[in-house]
Amino acid sequence: MKKFFIGLLLTGASIANAQQHPLFKDADLQAGEKLIAENQCNECHIRRVGGNGSAIYKPKGRINTAGALRGMVEYCNTELNLGFFPEDTNAVAAVLNKHHYKFR
C-alpha cells in the first residue's frame, strides 16, 4: 500500500508538470514562489497599476505566448537589477504562467 501511495504522489506531480507549457517543464515552482516573495514583485505591480496588482497580468495583446512571458520576467530582472540566473527567470515565469496566464 505504501508503494502505491508513493507512486500515486509521483504520478500526481507528473500530471501537474504536464499541464505547464513545455518551456517551463523543468522549472522549480517553489524557487519561483520564493523569488517572487523575496523581490516583492506583487508590491511593485501594485505601485504600477494599483488595486491588488493583478491588472498587470495579461494586458491586451501584450503577453500572448510563454516566450513573451519569460521575456517580460527577464525585462523586470534587467530593469530592476534583480540578478536572476536564467533558471530563476524561468521559475518565476512558470509560477506566473501557472497562476495567471495558463499557456499550455
mmCIF file of all heavy atoms in Angstrom, residues 4-32:
data_model
loop_
_atom_site.group_PDB
_atom_site.id
_atom_site.type_symbol
_atom_site.label_atom_id
_atom_site.label_comp_id
_atom_site.label_asym_id
_atom_site.label_seq_id
_atom_site.Cartn_x
_atom_site.Cartn_y
_atom_site.Cartn_z
ATOM 1 N N PHE A 4 2.131 2.013 -3.420
ATOM 2 C CA PHE A 4 1.049 2.542 -4.245
ATOM 3 C C PHE A 4 0.867 4.031 -3.994
ATOM 4 O O PHE A 4 0.730 4.825 -4.910
ATOM 5 C CB PHE A 4 -0.259 1.785 -3.959
ATOM 6 C CG PHE A 4 -1.445 2.397 -4.646
ATOM 7 C CD1 PHE A 4 -1.656 2.197 -6.001
ATOM 8 C CD2 PHE A 4 -2.344 3.181 -3.945
ATOM 9 C CE1 PHE A 4 -2.739 2.772 -6.641
ATOM 10 C CE2 PHE A 4 -3.431 3.763 -4.573
ATOM 11 C CZ PHE A 4 -3.627 3.546 -5.935
ATOM 12 N N PHE A 5 0.870 4.421 -2.731
ATOM 13 C CA PHE A 5 0.675 5.823 -2.353
ATOM 14 C C PHE A 5 1.806 6.692 -2.906
ATOM 15 O O PHE A 5 1.563 7.762 -3.448
ATOM 16 C CB PHE A 5 0.585 5.957 -0.826
ATOM 17 C CG PHE A 5 0.315 7.354 -0.380
ATOM 18 C CD1 PHE A 5 -0.902 7.966 -0.637
ATOM 19 C CD2 PHE A 5 1.289 8.085 0.290
ATOM 20 C CE1 PHE A 5 -1.150 9.269 -0.231
ATOM 21 C CE2 PHE A 5 1.045 9.386 0.700
ATOM 22 C CZ PHE A 5 -0.179 9.974 0.437
ATOM 23 N N ILE A 6 3.040 6.220 -2.768
ATOM 24 C CA ILE A 6 4.184 6.977 -3.292
ATOM 25 C C ILE A 6 4.074 7.102 -4.807
ATOM 26 O O ILE A 6 4.285 8.176 -5.364
ATOM 27 C CB ILE A 6 5.519 6.326 -2.869
ATOM 28 C CG1 ILE A 6 5.701 6.492 -1.364
ATOM 29 C CG2 ILE A 6 6.693 6.934 -3.625
ATOM 30 C CD1 ILE A 6 6.856 5.711 -0.784
ATOM 31 N N GLY A 7 3.703 6.027 -5.471
ATOM 32 C CA GLY A 7 3.517 6.064 -6.926
ATOM 33 C C GLY A 7 2.422 7.039 -7.322
ATOM 34 O O GLY A 7 2.534 7.764 -8.300
ATOM 35 N N LEU A 8 1.343 7.067 -6.548
ATOM 36 C CA LEU A 8 0.246 7.987 -6.802
ATOM 37 C C LEU A 8 0.709 9.436 -6.661
ATOM 38 O O LEU A 8 0.376 10.288 -7.469
ATOM 39 C CB LEU A 8 -0.911 7.698 -5.847
ATOM 40 C CG LEU A 8 -2.210 8.434 -6.074
ATOM 41 C CD1 LEU A 8 -2.758 8.105 -7.459
ATOM 42 C CD2 LEU A 8 -3.223 8.031 -5.019
ATOM 43 N N LEU A 9 1.518 9.707 -5.639
ATOM 44 C CA LEU A 9 2.057 11.057 -5.449
ATOM 45 C C LEU A 9 2.940 11.459 -6.625
ATOM 46 O O LEU A 9 2.848 12.579 -7.125
ATOM 47 C CB LEU A 9 2.869 11.136 -4.157
ATOM 48 C CG LEU A 9 2.078 11.196 -2.862
ATOM 49 C CD1 LEU A 9 3.031 11.158 -1.667
ATOM 50 C CD2 LEU A 9 1.233 12.440 -2.801
ATOM 51 N N LEU A 10 3.798 10.569 -7.060
ATOM 52 C CA LEU A 10 4.690 10.866 -8.179
ATOM 53 C C LEU A 10 3.904 11.080 -9.463
ATOM 54 O O LEU A 10 4.219 11.960 -10.252
ATOM 55 C CB LEU A 10 5.723 9.751 -8.361
ATOM 56 C CG LEU A 10 6.750 9.631 -7.234
ATOM 57 C CD1 LEU A 10 7.642 8.415 -7.463
ATOM 58 C CD2 LEU A 10 7.585 10.887 -7.117
ATOM 59 N N THR A 11 2.867 10.293 -9.672
ATOM 60 C CA THR A 11 2.028 10.455 -10.854
ATOM 61 C C THR A 11 1.332 11.808 -10.812
ATOM 62 O O THR A 11 1.259 12.511 -11.811
ATOM 63 C CB THR A 11 0.983 9.323 -10.944
ATOM 64 O OG1 THR A 11 1.679 8.085 -10.994
ATOM 65 C CG2 THR A 11 0.114 9.469 -12.169
ATOM 66 N N GLY A 12 0.848 12.199 -9.651
ATOM 67 C CA GLY A 12 0.201 13.499 -9.495
ATOM 68 C C GLY A 12 1.153 14.631 -9.810
ATOM 69 O O GLY A 12 0.785 15.610 -10.457
ATOM 70 N N ALA A 13 2.397 14.512 -9.378
ATOM 71 C CA ALA A 13 3.394 15.548 -9.668
ATOM 72 C C ALA A 13 3.656 15.618 -11.162
ATOM 73 O O ALA A 13 3.803 16.697 -11.729
ATOM 74 C CB ALA A 13 4.692 15.264 -8.917
ATOM 75 N N SER A 14 3.707 14.477 -11.819
ATOM 76 C CA SER A 14 3.935 14.455 -13.263
ATOM 77 C C SER A 14 2.787 15.110 -14.006
ATOM 78 O O SER A 14 2.988 15.849 -14.958
ATOM 79 C CB SER A 14 4.102 13.012 -13.755
ATOM 80 O OG SER A 14 5.243 12.438 -13.186
ATOM 81 N N ILE A 15 1.558 14.841 -13.568
ATOM 82 C CA ILE A 15 0.397 15.438 -14.208
ATOM 83 C C ILE A 15 0.427 16.955 -14.027
ATOM 84 O O ILE A 15 0.167 17.700 -14.955
ATOM 85 C CB ILE A 15 -0.907 14.837 -13.651
ATOM 86 C CG1 ILE A 15 -1.040 13.384 -14.122
ATOM 87 C CG2 ILE A 15 -2.119 15.641 -14.082
ATOM 88 C CD1 ILE A 15 -2.135 12.601 -13.447
ATOM 89 N N ALA A 16 0.780 17.414 -12.834
ATOM 90 C CA ALA A 16 0.843 18.861 -12.588
ATOM 91 C C ALA A 16 1.870 19.515 -13.498
ATOM 92 O O ALA A 16 1.631 20.584 -14.048
ATOM 93 C CB ALA A 16 1.181 19.130 -11.123
ATOM 94 N N ASN A 17 3.034 18.900 -13.671
ATOM 95 C CA ASN A 17 4.060 19.462 -14.546
ATOM 96 C C ASN A 17 3.647 19.355 -16.006
ATOM 97 O O ASN A 17 3.991 20.211 -16.808
ATOM 98 C CB ASN A 17 5.399 18.775 -14.325
ATOM 99 C CG ASN A 17 6.067 19.231 -13.049
ATOM 100 O OD1 ASN A 17 5.720 20.268 -12.502
ATOM 101 N ND2 ASN A 17 7.003 18.455 -12.560
ATOM 102 N N ALA A 18 2.899 18.308 -16.366
ATOM 103 C CA ALA A 18 2.470 18.129 -17.747
ATOM 104 C C ALA A 18 1.524 19.250 -18.176
ATOM 105 O O ALA A 18 1.424 19.549 -19.345
ATOM 106 C CB ALA A 18 1.805 16.773 -17.921
ATOM 107 N N GLN A 19 0.834 19.857 -17.225
ATOM 108 C CA GLN A 19 -0.100 20.920 -17.554
ATOM 109 C C GLN A 19 0.609 22.242 -17.837
ATOM 110 O O GLN A 19 0.011 23.143 -18.377
ATOM 111 C CB GLN A 19 -1.114 21.082 -16.418
ATOM 112 C CG GLN A 19 -2.021 19.883 -16.295
ATOM 113 C CD GLN A 19 -2.959 19.998 -15.112
ATOM 114 O OE1 GLN A 19 -2.874 20.936 -14.327
ATOM 115 N NE2 GLN A 19 -3.843 19.049 -14.975
ATOM 116 N N GLN A 20 1.858 22.356 -17.483
ATOM 117 C CA GLN A 20 2.631 23.568 -17.763
ATOM 118 C C GLN A 20 3.064 23.566 -19.222
ATOM 119 O O GLN A 20 3.214 22.526 -19.847
ATOM 120 C CB GLN A 20 3.882 23.606 -16.878
ATOM 121 C CG GLN A 20 3.687 24.237 -15.536
ATOM 122 C CD GLN A 20 3.691 25.757 -15.564
ATOM 123 O OE1 GLN A 20 3.419 26.406 -16.557
ATOM 124 N NE2 GLN A 20 3.976 26.335 -14.419
ATOM 125 N N HIS A 21 3.304 24.728 -19.753
ATOM 126 C CA HIS A 21 3.858 24.861 -21.103
ATOM 127 C C HIS A 21 5.228 24.180 -21.138
ATOM 128 O O HIS A 21 5.975 24.241 -20.150
ATOM 129 C CB HIS A 21 3.986 26.351 -21.432
ATOM 130 C CG HIS A 21 4.361 26.603 -22.838
ATOM 131 N ND1 HIS A 21 5.653 26.543 -23.283
ATOM 132 C CD2 HIS A 21 3.595 26.898 -23.917
ATOM 133 C CE1 HIS A 21 5.683 26.801 -24.578
ATOM 134 N NE2 HIS A 21 4.446 27.024 -24.984
ATOM 135 N N PRO A 22 5.598 23.551 -22.245
ATOM 136 C CA PRO A 22 6.906 22.875 -22.327
ATOM 137 C C PRO A 22 8.096 23.773 -21.981
ATOM 138 O O PRO A 22 9.107 23.292 -21.477
ATOM 139 C CB PRO A 22 6.982 22.409 -23.779
ATOM 140 C CG PRO A 22 5.561 22.301 -24.225
ATOM 141 C CD PRO A 22 4.802 23.354 -23.453
ATOM 142 N N LEU A 23 7.980 25.054 -22.207
ATOM 143 C CA LEU A 23 9.055 25.997 -21.877
ATOM 144 C C LEU A 23 9.371 25.972 -20.383
ATOM 145 O O LEU A 23 10.492 26.223 -19.973
ATOM 146 C CB LEU A 23 8.627 27.405 -22.300
ATOM 147 C CG LEU A 23 9.666 28.495 -22.320
ATOM 148 C CD1 LEU A 23 10.788 28.173 -23.295
ATOM 149 C CD2 LEU A 23 9.016 29.807 -22.728
ATOM 150 N N PHE A 24 8.370 25.622 -19.576
ATOM 151 C CA PHE A 24 8.517 25.655 -18.131
ATOM 152 C C PHE A 24 8.556 24.267 -17.496
ATOM 153 O O PHE A 24 8.455 24.133 -16.284
ATOM 154 C CB PHE A 24 7.363 26.451 -17.499
ATOM 155 C CG PHE A 24 7.168 27.805 -18.092
ATOM 156 C CD1 PHE A 24 5.944 28.188 -18.595
ATOM 157 C CD2 PHE A 24 8.215 28.708 -18.161
ATOM 158 C CE1 PHE A 24 5.754 29.447 -19.139
ATOM 159 C CE2 PHE A 24 8.050 29.967 -18.706
ATOM 160 C CZ PHE A 24 6.809 30.340 -19.200
ATOM 161 N N LYS A 25 8.736 23.221 -18.303
ATOM 162 C CA LYS A 25 8.608 21.851 -17.782
ATOM 163 C C LYS A 25 9.601 21.513 -16.676
ATOM 164 O O LYS A 25 9.284 20.748 -15.793
ATOM 165 C CB LYS A 25 8.679 20.822 -18.903
ATOM 166 C CG LYS A 25 10.061 20.587 -19.452
ATOM 167 C CD LYS A 25 10.066 19.487 -20.494
ATOM 168 C CE LYS A 25 11.470 19.309 -20.996
ATOM 169 N NZ LYS A 25 12.078 18.097 -20.637
ATOM 170 N N ASP A 26 10.779 22.083 -16.689
ATOM 171 C CA ASP A 26 11.775 21.784 -15.657
ATOM 172 C C ASP A 26 11.902 22.899 -14.617
ATOM 173 O O ASP A 26 12.821 22.881 -13.806
ATOM 174 C CB ASP A 26 13.146 21.542 -16.308
ATOM 175 C CG ASP A 26 13.162 20.301 -17.176
ATOM 176 O OD1 ASP A 26 12.468 19.316 -16.830
ATOM 177 O OD2 ASP A 26 13.848 20.311 -18.214
ATOM 178 N N ALA A 27 10.993 23.836 -14.635
ATOM 179 C CA ALA A 27 11.075 24.980 -13.720
ATOM 180 C C ALA A 27 10.790 24.554 -12.282
ATOM 181 O O ALA A 27 9.957 23.695 -12.026
ATOM 182 C CB ALA A 27 10.084 26.050 -14.146
ATOM 183 N N ASP A 28 11.490 25.186 -11.373
ATOM 184 C CA ASP A 28 11.309 24.944 -9.941
ATOM 185 C C ASP A 28 10.281 25.947 -9.423
ATOM 186 O O ASP A 28 10.607 27.106 -9.144
ATOM 187 C CB ASP A 28 12.656 25.114 -9.235
ATOM 188 C CG ASP A 28 12.608 24.810 -7.749
ATOM 189 O OD1 ASP A 28 11.504 24.804 -7.160
ATOM 190 O OD2 ASP A 28 13.685 24.592 -7.173
ATOM 191 N N LEU A 29 9.037 25.485 -9.295
ATOM 192 C CA LEU A 29 7.956 26.378 -8.889
ATOM 193 C C LEU A 29 8.148 26.925 -7.478
ATOM 194 O O LEU A 29 7.833 28.084 -7.212
ATOM 195 C CB LEU A 29 6.606 25.671 -9.011
ATOM 196 C CG LEU A 29 6.193 25.301 -10.434
ATOM 197 C CD1 LEU A 29 4.909 24.483 -10.422
ATOM 198 C CD2 LEU A 29 6.032 26.536 -11.303
ATOM 199 N N GLN A 30 8.688 26.110 -6.593
ATOM 200 C CA GLN A 30 8.936 26.587 -5.227
ATOM 201 C C GLN A 30 9.947 27.725 -5.227
ATOM 202 O O GLN A 30 9.777 28.723 -4.531
ATOM 203 C CB GLN A 30 9.447 25.457 -4.334
ATOM 204 C CG GLN A 30 8.357 24.697 -3.633
ATOM 205 C CD GLN A 30 8.949 23.764 -2.588
ATOM 206 O OE1 GLN A 30 9.861 23.004 -2.881
ATOM 207 N NE2 GLN A 30 8.432 23.837 -1.391
ATOM 208 N N ALA A 31 10.997 27.566 -6.019
ATOM 209 C CA ALA A 31 12.002 28.632 -6.114
ATOM 210 C C ALA A 31 11.382 29.892 -6.709
ATOM 211 O O ALA A 31 11.667 31.004 -6.263
ATOM 212 C CB ALA A 31 13.181 28.166 -6.962
ATOM 213 N N GLY A 32 10.522 29.722 -7.704
ATOM 214 C CA GLY A 32 9.855 30.869 -8.316
ATOM 215 C C GLY A 32 8.980 31.617 -7.323
ATOM 216 O O GLY A 32 9.005 32.849 -7.263
#
